Amino acid sequence: RWVLPSGARCPRPGADVDHRIPGDDHSLANLQLLCEHHHRRKTLSEAYSGRMKYREAKKAARRTPERHPGYNNH
């Protein structure tokens, strides 16, 4: 269950099975039961984080344009 900022657990009944660590590990140790609200919140957060990592990787992969060898700076 989701732990609230107060340290208490979310009182809503768990309805969605969630991966604690995203990926293909479907073992019971990596699964948790969350209410629909907190499952959606966690999923959106992970999706946003993934998009930011993708954008940063894409940005890093861009090459700096090379100057034309015949271009004279003078």
Side-chain angles (χ1 to χ4, degrees):
R1 286 184 159 187
W2 190 265
V3 178
L4 302 171
S6 66
R9 294 200 178 263
C10 173
R12 296 181 190 114
D16 296 343
V17 176
D18 175 67
H19 289 88
R20 292 176 192 267
I21 300 170
D24 292 331
D25 178 6
H26 306 300
S27 67
L28 288 178
N30 192 42
L31 300 177
Q32 63 183 344
L33 198 57
L34 297 176
C35 70
E36 183 180 354
H37 168 78
H38 285 113
H39 185 240
R40 188 176 333 109
R41 182 175 167 183
K42 181 176 179 274
T43 300
L44 289 173
S45 174
E46 290 169 349
Y48 177 79
S49 179
R51 279 194 307 273
M52 292 301 107
K53 286 179 186 176
Y54 173 77
R55 286 181 184 170
E56 287 301 316
K58 193 173 176 183
K59 191 178 188 181
R62 284 189 215 137
R63 290 186 332 152
T64 306
E66 296 177 20
R67 297 178 67 101
H68 189 278
Y71 180 72
N72 205 347
N73 224 2
H74 304 283

